[in-house]
Each structure stands twice: as structure tokens, then as C-alpha cells.
Amino acid sequence: MAEAVFKEAGTRVEYMVGTMIELPRACLQAGAIAETASFFSFGTNDLTQTRSACRATIRGRSSRSTARKASMSRIPSPASTRKVSAR
């Protein structure tokens, strides 16, 4: 796509391709994403909202507190997320 735009415009510019990681599944795939992206960062607001929703779901459906605590302990806290440069 970029090559077509450069050809049409008759000029080139330096650019990097990156992404914002906003979902837990994307966090788990960050290593694979880093292989092709020049940079990425974590969307901590979306991750925090997802984490809160998971906790609320776990609390609402689980009747055993030990199972609930074990499940919630595996959900990363917002403090454990940080911006990471792929290169």
C-alpha cells in the first residue's frame, strides 16, 4: 500500500508501523506482534476495564472463595502493564 502511495505522490517518507494492544489476547500475542511491528504500546484503560469485567463475572458466578481468589490472581493488574518497544 505504501509503495503505491509513494509512486502516486512521486516522493517517499520514512515511516514505521506499530499497533496499540488493547485486549488480553493481544497481550498474550505481543511476542508475535513484535516480530513485524516497529513498535507497540499497551492500552491500559481497556485492559483495566476488561480485568474489572472478568473479576465481576468471576465474583458473580463462583460460590467458592478459594476458586474465586485463584482465578483473580491470574488476571494481571494494571500496574503490571507498561509501554514496550518492539525494537
Side-chain angles (χ1 to χ4, degrees):
M1 179 75 176
E3 289 302 321
V5 172
F6 293 156
K7 186 175 181 177
E8 183 180 323
T11 189
R12 297 184 70 80
V13 294
E14 295 287 322
Y15 70 98
M16 296 186 305
V17 176
T19 187
M20 183 77 152
I21 294 179
E22 299 184 22
L23 300 173
R25 174 76 174 144
C27 290
L28 297 173
Q29 297 298 317
I33 294 168
E35 292 177 14
T36 56
S38 299
F39 65 91
F40 60 88
S41 62
F42 293 98
T44 56
N45 185 47
D46 292 322
L47 292 171
T48 300
Q49 290 179 19
T50 300
R51 179 176 180 261
S52 296
C54 289
R55 282 184 169 209
T57 299
I58 290 167
R59 283 188 197 120
R61 293 188 183 168
S62 177
S63 61
R64 295 179 297 212
S65 66
T66 53
R68 186 173 33 219
K69 287 178 186 176
S71 297
M72 288 187 290
S73 68
R74 289 190 296 265
I75 301 171
S77 68
S80 68
T81 62
R82 65 179 191 273
K83 291 185 179 181
V84 176
S85 175
R87 301 194 198 283

